[in-house]
Amino acid sequence: MASTVIGAGITIEGEITTDEDVVVAGTVRGKLSAKEGITIEHGATVDADVAGASLVIAGALTGNVTATERVDLQSGARVIGNVKAARVTIADGAQFKGNVDMDV
Amino acid sequence: MAANVTVIGRTTRVHGRLTGASDLEVQGFVEGEIVVGGDVTVDAQGIVGASVRGRRVIVRGAVKGDLVGEEAVLLQDGARVVGDVRAPRVAIAQGALVRGYVQTGEGDGAPARSARAQSAARPAAARPAAAVHERAAVAARAPAPAASPAPPKVAVKPAAAQERGAAHAASGTNNAGPRRPPPPVVPALKKTKGQIAKKKER
């Protein structure tokens, strides 16, 4: 399945909605919502509420994160915001500030 | 830092501005201004609802907005553009649809606007300004998706005029100068295309 790639030199200010995978290496401000996975690469800046199926975050994210499956914060991630998912992993080296809600 | 290509996938909808320095390919829906420093390609399924500005703008899909290219604007088969097109070089290939003002050349120069249509086959070789095959393009598709029959004929005139301006440059006559209103009656046009005369009456 094709994926949407937001490259390193691109800034998107607004809402993004998609049915496919998203890889963010640039800057997103606003809202990002995908039906499949979202990968926020190291070096990306996301000032948005992010919603998806499974999220892998290795960049800077300020905003709430909602996933229907899982959220993985990798080393190098900087997340400020609430995370809501059934499964959450925060790797060593990830920075995080916010609530974690695992639907318990 | 490599200039990655940003791809807006087929099912993606972006409501907002897109700015940046790298290349961009739109296969989905973008409703918002696009201003990038690299090339912009609007694929056949791509739809852009606002103006696009890039170094080279290549359109195979639908754009409702102005297209401004720093270097060139290429409208390929399948392109449907409602809006102005401005670039040093504009190419409108057979099958492309345009409704709007088309201006080639540097921004300051007078628009190559005069109203005598040469045959579409005359190449604008000496001047890389325009490679227009508008006659075939307009004839190829009568039902424009976004327009009634009248507007494509409006588009023929500026496109035809720019081709004539290019032909003039090829023959050495400089058409650039202060803006002039287009001459009202054009014998050649009147002979070959009655619709242009009808447009004159509008």
Side-chain angles (χ1 to χ4, degrees):
Chain A
M1 182 182 231
S3 68
T4 293
V5 175
I6 298 171
I10 291 285
T11 303
I12 300 187
E13 286 162 18
E15 280 187 34
I16 306 172
T17 324
T18 181
D19 285 350
E20 51 199 14
D21 291 342
V22 181
V23 176
V24 180
T27 306
V28 175
R29 285 199 197 100
K31 222 170 139 196
L32 169 54
S33 150
K35 287 227 179 82
E36 302 275 330
I38 300 180
T39 307
I40 298 177
E41 291 190 350
H42 190 63
T45 307
V46 178
D47 282 332
D49 287 345
V50 176
S54 86
L55 274 61
V56 175
I57 304 173
L61 167 67
T62 306
N64 296 329
V65 175
T66 311
T68 54
E69 285 172 19
R70 59 181 305 125
V71 172
D72 295 307
L73 267 59
Q74 295 182 337
S75 172
R78 251 184 82 90
V79 176
I80 301 172
N82 303 329
V83 170
K84 188 169 152 73
R87 305 158 93 120
V88 176
T89 71
I90 302 179
D92 189 14
Q95 295 174 297
F96 176 63
K97 178 162 159 177
N99 289 336
V100 176
D101 181 354
M102 297 178 71
D103 274 349
V104 174
Chain B
M1 170 172 59
N4 307 322
V5 178
T6 294
V7 177
I8 305 291
R10 208 173 36 85
T11 56
T12 304
R13 300 175 65 92
V14 178
H15 294 267
R17 280 188 95 224
L18 256 151
T19 53
S22 51
D23 296 343
L24 172 64
E25 189 174 328
V26 177
Q27 296 166 0
F29 178 80
V30 175
E31 185 189 351
E33 215 186 339
I34 296 178
V35 178
V36 295
D39 297 347
V40 179
T41 307
V42 180
D43 267 355
Q45 319 102 316
I47 304 176
V48 179
S51 67
V52 178
R53 186 186 194 103
R55 192 178 62 216
R56 290 190 324 152
V57 180
I58 302 167
V59 179
R60 291 188 273 271
V63 177
K64 183 173 187 296
D66 299 339
L67 297 174
V68 178
E70 307 289 328
E71 214 179 273
V73 170
L74 309 172
L75 305 183
Q76 299 180 336
D77 185 12
R80 303 172 309 271
V81 175
V82 174
D84 298 342
V85 178
R86 289 168 214 268
R89 289 162 39 207
V90 173
I92 303 178
Q94 178 163 355
L97 296 173
V98 183
R99 170 158 65 132
Y101 182 81
V102 177
Q103 176 174 333
T104 64
E106 302 311 311
D108 280 346
R113 215 165 21 132
S114 51
R116 183 147 177 256
Q118 303 289 340
S119 75
R122 183 172 314 209
R127 179 170 171 183
V132 177
H133 315 286
E134 93 291 348
R135 219 175 53 188
V138 175
R141 293 223 197 138
S148 61
K153 289 161 197 159
V154 172
V156 168
K157 185 154 193 262
Q162 127 203 347
E163 188 189 20
R164 195 250 174 158
H168 255 253
S171 66
T173 312
N174 190 5
N175 209 17
R179 281 184 189 229
R180 290 177 290 171
V185 171
V186 179
L189 271 183
K190 210 174 173 187
K191 186 169 58 170
T192 56
K193 287 201 198 276
Q195 299 106 349
I196 300 299
K198 197 195 327 177
K199 190 250 173 192
K200 169 209 65 164
E201 291 159 2
R202 266 189 358 150

